[in-house]
Amino acid sequence: MSSSSTSLSSRTTSSGKRTRPSDVSLRYLLPSIHSAPPFFTQQPNPNTQATVSENWTKLILSYARHRRLFTLRVEDAEVPGGEWDEILRNTRINRRLLPSHLSHILADMVAKNRAVYEPAKQTRAALLLWRSPEEWAEVLHSWADSTGQLNTILTFPDIIEPPVPSPLSDIPMTLLRKAISVLAKTNRAQIISVADGEGVRFLAGNTSR
Amino acid sequence: MGALKRYTTSVDGTIPVPALLYQDEEVIASQEGVGIYDGAQKSARHQTGAVHVSTHRLFYIDASHPRSRSFALDLSHVEQTDYWAGLLRSSAKVTLYLNALPRLATPGPTQGASTNTRQNPDSAFDVWECAVCSYRNPPGLSPSASMVCGLCGVPRAAMPTASVAVPAPPRARLEPPLSSSLPPASSAHRSPRAASDPPSRVETPAGHACPACTFLNHPSLPACEICGTPLPRPAAKSAPASRPTSDDEDEGSGGEAPRMIKVSFRKGGDKAFYAGLRQSLLDKAWEGPKLRRALASTSQDPSRAATPTTASRTGIHGILQDVQTTAAATQTNMEDALQDLETLQVQAREMVRYAAELNERLTALSAPSAPAAAVEPEEAAFIRSSLAQLGLQMANAPVTLDMARDERRWHEELARELAGVWGGWNRARGVALIPPATFLLVLPHLPSCTEPPVSRRTFASGLAVLHTPPYSRAAFSARLVGLLSLGTCSSLFFLAHEEQLPLGLVQDMVGEAEDAGDVCRDEAEGRVGAGARAQEVRWWANVFLGYVWDGQAD
């Protein structure tokens, strides 16, 4: 998965060993920009800051996908020891991302549909869309298809905590609902009320591949 | 009786004054109970009467013999006036100094439209037709107004020469020598003196002898058939009967008779009258604007015949000449204005020279003094000496921070020093002082006058500096990025030290580089264990420029 064309200054997150495609699941390859001190400062020049935000967005989403993280909070930049420390801090150059800067980046991501504030009506935490709801819908449908669960009624917990780990394990409920509603619009899913809550039945669908 | 006779015209005083006026004339002031002095002596015949001053003339209407003793005087003859307020039994008097009558005009009534009073009966109360537009000019206008056509403005007297468009020779000058040198037998009747004879004798010959070539022309011809010289006009209708010319002649050519007339105000009213008279003289209604122009360009008025431009100015030729004259006048005005501009330019160049000189000295200084921070007094000494070399001697020596520990005093000293430089510079300029506003206006022109060009930069902070090319935005940014990419140190202090520039200036310059996206900053708050020493902003080349993602790929 990882491209081998990384620069010399790219570093792995642990032990300094170069990442090989084989052990990509353990280590995250940080970009070289992460060791540039100005990367951690909010730039007054709007053009420069646009590049900074763009690279931070990419870093956050890439890291989130790698670590299967769905939520980023402003307090992750305030309190050390969280699961985001690896990218929000760079102890080697003695820099950290300031909460105000993170807040700015989050706003930028929300504006670009790469995150949504979760819960809504606050700006301290956001759901990261390293896959868009449409992409999640495809993933969901192909999972159901590949596991032979089409036309079966599944509860939400069945999807979120499947007995066999799936690409959808631990997906936030909000995101799951978005994905299902995308499928429902194209008649590939149907939301059904069941005894202990809600269920969904996936259909083969006429527009599927 | 000289002046009175020569300059005045007898009028019938029984006619009320308003009826005596021309159509374009009006009475300004009147006063009765006056006496007239002809020269210095009382004029016995004019001792009780009323004076009226109009826009054109001064009337005296005698109280006892209005018909025979009244007269009018053209104000165009009045050269100067004098006012005497009176003393004890002596009445207030107004003295009118009269101009010299053109000598030729007196003997020879040759010019059809001369302003001489004796022609008034003829020219003013005559209907005449304009040769150009055929407009029939009504009678009753003042002599001057009736000289030009009321419709097209072409001078009446220019009619004869209008078609020829040949510059008329200045007859008034040519005539006396010509006539006197001519053999009496051939043209005695044409001489000016002879012309003062009764007009009937002028008419008698079969033709008019040309004053230039003596060819006898037909009486009706306006110009000589052979050489084109304008011929004297027939004097048939111009000699007034009322004017005694014979003794007048002797006086005019002989002794210098006093050319003045006094009006003695026996019953007061002198001040109001004098004011009216002055007003009338100032207005010069007898030469209206268009008339004045016509007169200036034609030679019809004998008093103006001596002017070099005696060419006829009627017709298309005249119009063209008018246009040329106007263009020439405009040109002269433009040149005057441009001269002012040139003066300004010369001054600007001088200022640029000062600036270049100063710059040269400053650069000459900064080059050898590598250990700059070491010796402050030396620098102060240099500044003083360089200022002295520039002629900017100052009473108070330049101060540096070392000299005045107290900060407030330091600022005061600096302000005084600044004022001193400005004042010194202005003193060096002598009387051609320039205000700061002008100085600022001059600055944009500096690059074109200096080598290397000295340009002006204004920063966002409002600071404006003059700089050489190495300190232009682009050049400085390039050098700055180079410095920063060394990576050793990147604080403003370091940069100021490297660039040998004041900290504040470097701050502004780096700020502009940041605005342009050439550099970016690394602020202290982002540092995890930022100590007090690490609080300042560090500068980096724009590391985001052209950055391609080289981290984890999906």
Side-chain angles (χ1 to χ4, degrees):
Chain A
M1 278 171 76
S2 171
S3 89
S4 55
S5 66
T6 53
S7 80
L8 285 174
S9 56
S10 298
R11 297 174 65 251
T12 53
T13 53
S14 61
S15 77
K17 259 196 250 164
R18 291 302 307 272
T19 311
R20 297 259 61 88
S22 53
D23 54 10
V24 69
S25 58
L26 294 176
R27 296 185 181 88
Y28 178 76
L29 177 69
L30 285 167
S32 62
I33 198 80
H34 192 255
S35 12
F39 191 49
F40 294 85
T41 296
Q42 193 171 342
Q43 301 293 331
N45 183 327
N47 293 330
T48 311
Q49 178 57 31
T51 326
V52 170
S53 293
E54 181 57 37
N55 281 310
W56 267 111
T57 304
K58 190 153 190 185
L59 175 59
I60 289 168
L61 292 182
S62 159
Y63 186 72
R65 181 198 296 269
H66 184 81
R67 296 278 307 269
R68 292 193 63 79
L69 302 174
F70 289 94
T71 307
L72 177 59
R73 297 175 186 82
V74 175
E75 62 194 55
D76 288 326
E78 286 163 351
V79 188
E83 53 193 352
W84 289 95
D85 268 11
E86 208 172 337
I87 60 165
L88 297 186
R89 285 158 198 276
N90 188 341
T91 49
R92 194 173 68 92
I93 60 166
N94 226 7
R95 296 291 186 279
R96 68 187 177 97
L97 191 65
L98 289 180
S100 60
H101 193 185
L102 176 58
S103 176
H104 180 267
I105 292 166
L106 279 183
D108 188 56
M109 290 172 75
V110 168
K112 287 177 176 158
N113 278 326
R114 292 158 97 171
V116 282
Y117 287 124
E118 174 67 32
K121 295 178 183 171
Q122 52 80 47
T123 57
R124 300 268 307 167
L127 184 66
L128 302 172
L129 299 178
W130 38 272
R131 276 189 187 126
S132 68
E134 289 73 22
E135 285 169 339
W136 277 117
E138 292 305 323
V139 170
L140 181 59
H141 195 267
S142 56
W143 168 76
D145 193 8
S146 61
T147 51
Q149 298 185 81
L150 290 181
N151 299 315
T152 319
I153 295 176
L154 298 167
T155 59
F156 285 2
D158 289 341
I159 301 168
I160 294 170
E161 297 155 6
V164 182
S166 79
L168 296 155
S169 299
D170 304 324
I171 185 171
M173 185 71 85
T174 333
L175 206 47
L176 181 57
R177 282 182 193 280
K178 280 180 194 283
I180 290 171
S181 66
V182 168
L183 288 176
K185 273 182 198 157
T186 53
N187 292 322
R188 291 193 285 158
Q190 204 175 6
I191 296 173
I192 291 164
S193 297
V194 291
D196 52 344
E198 279 176 304
V200 62
R201 181 166 61 182
F202 294 102
L203 308 164
N206 42 14
T207 59
S208 64
R209 310 136 272 171
Chain B
M1 301 289 282
L4 212 52
K5 262 196 173 172
R6 276 180 294 140
Y7 287 91
T8 62
T9 319
S10 168
V11 293
D12 188 348
T14 56
I15 304 172
V17 170
L20 289 169
L21 302 179
Y22 302 128
Q23 271 184 6
D24 48 350
E25 190 181 11
E26 54 185 297
V27 172
I28 305 275
S30 301
Q31 178 58 41
E32 50 181 38
V34 300
I36 301 295
Y37 284 63
D38 185 5
Q41 272 84 42
K42 280 186 184 177
S43 175
R45 286 156 51 88
H46 310 97
Q47 281 311 301
T48 45
V51 281
H52 308 270
V53 64
S54 76
T55 50
H56 290 66
R57 288 180 287 179
L58 181 126
F59 292 93
Y60 170 80
I61 308 295
D62 197 77
S64 48
H65 303 87
R67 182 184 294 275
S68 56
R69 294 185 179 177
S70 306
F71 65 83
L73 168 72
D74 268 14
L75 289 184
S76 58
H77 292 310
V78 177
E79 204 164 54
Q80 201 185 339
T81 59
D82 207 354
Y83 173 70
W84 189 67
L87 185 69
L88 299 177
R89 294 182 55 207
S90 172
S91 325
K93 289 181 183 61
V94 167
T95 310
L96 307 175
Y97 296 96
L98 305 171
N99 57 11
L101 269 184
R103 290 184 62 194
L104 281 168
T106 312
T110 53
Q111 337 262 297
S114 95
T115 52
N116 283 337
T117 51
R118 61 196 139 76
Q119 290 186 342
N120 286 349
D122 299 311
S123 59
F125 303 108
D126 224 10
V127 175
W128 61 279
E129 189 172 299
C130 173
V132 175
C133 66
S134 298
Y135 173 67
R136 288 177 65 79
N137 285 275
L141 288 172
S142 63
S144 54
S146 64
M147 273 175 61
V148 291
C149 173
L151 191 63
C152 65
V154 171
R156 177 187 187 177
M159 289 172 2
T161 52
S163 55
V164 191
V166 169
R171 269 171 298 165
R173 281 192 164 174
L174 282 177
E175 264 186 348
L178 264 184
S179 51
S180 57
S181 65
L182 282 172
S186 65
S187 60
H189 57 278
R190 292 303 315 151
S191 83
R193 294 190 192 284
S196 66
D197 294 341
S200 55
R201 285 179 54 189
V202 183
E203 288 281 272
T204 39
H208 286 179
C210 169
C213 67
T214 72
F215 180 77
L216 279 177
N217 287 285
H218 188 272
S220 61
L221 280 178
C224 176
E225 210 174 341
I226 302 299
C227 62
T229 308
L231 290 172
R233 283 170 61 92
K237 54 179 183 176
S238 46
S242 62
R243 196 181 147 274
T245 51
S246 47
D247 49 351
D248 198 54
E249 171 75 25
D250 298 330
E251 279 186 25
S253 55
E256 279 297 314
R259 294 205 305 264
M260 62 176 190
I261 290 174
K262 283 190 199 173
V263 182
S264 175
F265 293 83
R266 310 237 154 85
K267 291 185 180 172
D270 45 294
K271 278 184 179 145
F273 182 86
Y274 187 60
L277 176 67
R278 290 288 304 260
Q279 189 54 47
S280 228
L281 286 171
L282 279 175
D283 286 349
K284 291 191 194 298
W286 54 88
E287 33 181 272
K290 74 175 173 184
L291 191 71
R292 227 172 282 171
R293 220 176 330 138
L295 282 178
S297 55
T298 55
S299 57
Q300 301 307 319
D301 186 348
S303 67
R304 294 170 190 269
T307 57
T309 54
T310 50
S312 162
R313 287 254 178 129
T314 50
I316 292 177
H317 177 65
I319 294 171
L320 285 177
Q321 267 189 331
D322 264 0
V323 169
Q324 274 173 6
T325 316
T326 317
T330 315
Q331 172 83 10
T332 316
N333 288 343
M334 287 289 288
E335 275 168 8
D336 282 357
L338 286 175
Q339 264 180 353
D340 290 354
L341 250 172
E342 274 168 20
T343 317
L344 186 66
Q345 277 177 350
V346 167
Q347 289 183 354
R349 201 162 298 142
E350 200 175 331
M351 182 169 345
V352 166
R353 199 170 55 76
Y354 281 132
E357 214 169 309
L358 181 63
N359 187 47
E360 197 179 300
R361 288 175 197 286
L362 288 180
T363 45
L365 163 84
S366 53
S369 71
V375 270
E376 288 273 336
E378 217 172 84
E379 279 187 354
F382 164 76
I383 295 169
R384 205 168 329 167
S385 69
S386 66
L387 284 174
Q389 279 170 338
L390 283 172
L392 307 177
Q393 302 278 10
M394 283 177 296
N396 48 344
V399 287
T400 60
L401 194 45
D402 279 352
M403 297 183 198
R405 286 289 172 202
D406 180 18
E407 196 184 8
R408 178 144 172 265
R409 205 175 116 66
W410 156 242
H411 287 149
E412 279 172 3
E413 289 287 328
L414 274 183
R416 207 164 297 137
E417 190 178 313
L418 193 61
V421 169
W422 184 260
W425 186 36
N426 261 338
R427 266 198 298 284
R429 291 184 52 81
V431 290
L433 305 183
I434 63 153
T438 311
F439 176 67
L440 291 179
L441 285 179
V442 165
L443 292 182
H445 302 291
L446 272 182
S448 55
C449 311
T450 46
E451 182 60 41
V454 171
S455 328
R456 183 184 176 189
R457 276 182 76 176
T458 307
F459 297 105
S461 67
L463 174 69
V465 294
L466 295 175
H467 66 92
T468 46
Y471 296 93
S472 70
R473 201 202 63 73
F476 179 80
S477 284
R479 205 161 58 244
L480 181 64
V481 168
L483 267 176
L484 293 178
S485 44
L486 291 178
T488 49
C489 192
S490 47
S491 66
L492 270 185
F493 186 82
F494 167 79
L495 291 172
H497 182 76
E498 279 294 300
E499 283 286 315
Q500 300 263 311
L501 290 175
L503 198 60
L505 180 58
V506 167
Q507 185 170 10
D508 273 340
M509 291 174 84
V510 171
E512 251 191 28
E514 182 186 31
D515 287 345
D518 293 328
V519 295
C520 60
R521 58 173 68 201
D522 165 28
E523 276 171 355
E525 299 95 279
R527 274 158 236 161
V528 176
R533 220 173 56 79
Q535 283 303 313
E536 66 196 353
V537 175
R538 291 191 186 151
W539 292 95
W540 291 73
N542 193 340
V543 289
F544 310 105
L545 218 57
Y547 170 75
V548 182
W549 181 259
D550 55 1
Q552 182 90 31
D554 301 321

